[in-house]
Structures are given as C-alpha cells and as structure tokens.
Amino acid sequence: MRDNLARAERLRLVDTARRAGDDAPTLCEGWTVRDLATHLVIRERHPRAAAGIFMPKFSDRLQAKEDEYAEMPFSRLLGLVAAPPKWTPGALPGVETVMNTTEFLVHHEDIRRAAIEWIPRRLSKAETATVWAQTKVALLPYAAKAKGPVTIEAPGFGTRTTGKKGSGEATTITGAPLELLLYLMGREDHALVDVR
C-alpha cells in the first residue's frame, strides 16, 4: 500500500497556514507563513530557481521567483502548495515519500510551533512508523557533524546509533519520532526530547 503521509501533511500544512495567515511567523528565521509557502512552491515547480538556495549562481533566479510569488494572492499561493504539478519528481512512485515527507512534516511544525500556544500532535501509529523511518535517514547527516556517536531512541519504535565511534562524547536523544525528527532538522529549541 502506498504511503500517503507526504500528501496528508501537505494538506494539513495548507490548512494550518490558511488559519495562521500569510504574515504569521514561522520557526524559519525571518520567514513568514507566506515566505514558507513560497519556498515550497518554488522547490517543487521551479527546480532551477530552487538551486539558488544552495548555489549562489542561481540566486538571481530564486529572487525573481520569490518576487513573483510575493504579488500572488495568498489563497492562490496555498492552492499551488496543495496541488503539486503533475510533472514533479514527487509524482513518481516512491519518490513522494523520500522527497516530501520530512519537508512537509517539519515545515508544518515550523508554522504550528511558532504560535504562542501549541500542543504536540498525535499521529496515527502507521504515520508515526513512517516518521520513524524518516528520522533514521535524518540522523545520518546530523551524526556526520557530531564529534562522537549519536543514538536516537523512540520508545515503542526502536533505537538507532551512528557516527564516529570511539571519538568524542556519545549523545543519546530520546523522544517520539516526530520530536526526534524536528531536533535532527535543527529545531532543537522546539523539540520535546531528552538529550544526554
């Protein structure tokens, strides 16, 4: 059975963004909800412009697309987030999960957790299992930068250790899979985890 968490999170993010409003803050420093939605649209619809996020030679192209979407009505912009183009790589079987699950989970929480009051979400057991799989992937780049081995523990889902064994202090991060994912993706101050 095809995993639909990426699609579900896309629609949940759009609903949360609509309720928050285009000027609401996010956990992405300096970004409003509109900026975050613009990022998602450019990432999926304009890969050459999206390269400007990482490659300075494409920054002019990225800026031009950001300016273009800044003029678009917010409801239309969210419509583009909700309905990806048919030709996106994410439309290929199996690619949507890899390409979009973490992106939409984390950015959805970027909107939710920037609010003054928020509570952790409860995902289904199947959705949480998918998040755990994504978290194990996110551990690899995180551990590559750590000085010693890093262990993530998700009660009820498992444990995973990777990193430089025998060099540096070991770190163990415990929490629910979504909280671990947020921590590993740079949202340390907003993730409900225990770090030892």
Side-chain angles (χ1 to χ4, degrees), residues 17-192:
R18 187 173 285 118
R19 284 185 280 111
D22 63 341
D23 290 338
T26 70
L27 298 184
C28 301
E29 189 174 339
W31 278 12
T32 63
V33 171
R34 173 181 280 279
D35 297 326
L36 195 150
T38 297
H39 160 76
L40 294 171
V41 170
I42 291 172
R43 171 185 174 269
E44 203 159 47
R45 293 174 180 268
H46 307 284
R48 293 178 78 184
I53 297 167
F54 309 105
M55 301 166 64
K57 73 179 186 175
F58 293 104
S59 62
D60 289 347
R61 193 172 296 192
L62 175 61
Q63 187 63 56
K65 285 296 176 190
E66 288 173 345
D67 293 345
E68 179 183 325
Y69 287 111
E71 301 299 318
M72 183 177 281
F74 187 54
S75 60
R76 187 165 165 226
L77 180 64
L78 292 182
L80 293 176
V81 176
K86 293 187 185 334
W87 51 262
T88 182
L92 298 170
V95 176
E96 183 177 34
T97 296
V98 174
M99 182 177 159
N100 289 330
T101 303
T102 294
E103 184 81 5
F104 284 108
L105 279 164
V106 171
H107 283 323
H108 186 188
E109 292 301 319
D110 285 337
I111 299 170
R112 292 184 73 256
R113 296 183 187 213
I116 293 170
E117 292 183 11
W118 61 271
I119 57 171
R121 286 190 295 154
R122 287 184 178 264
L123 300 174
S124 72
K125 181 102 170 159
E127 288 175 330
T128 304
T130 300
V131 176
W132 175 238
Q134 296 289 308
T135 301
K136 291 186 286 185
V137 172
L139 174 61
L140 300 174
Y142 181 89
K145 298 175 190 168
K147 295 182 177 165
V150 180
T151 299
I152 53 173
E153 295 179 344
F157 290 91
T159 300
R160 176 64 60 98
T161 301
T162 193
K164 303 172 183 103
K165 293 182 169 67
S167 62
E169 192 171 311
T171 303
T172 299
I173 311 162
T174 305
L178 179 57
E179 302 301 328
L180 292 168
L181 181 63
L182 291 169
Y183 187 91
L184 296 174
M185 296 299 293
R187 279 65 174 178
E188 295 93 341
D189 293 341
H190 301 276
L192 304 176

Side-chain angles (χ1 to χ4, degrees), residues 1-5 97 126 130:
M1 184 175 126
R2 187 168 170 249
D3 167 37
N4 290 317
L5 182 57
T97 296
T130 300

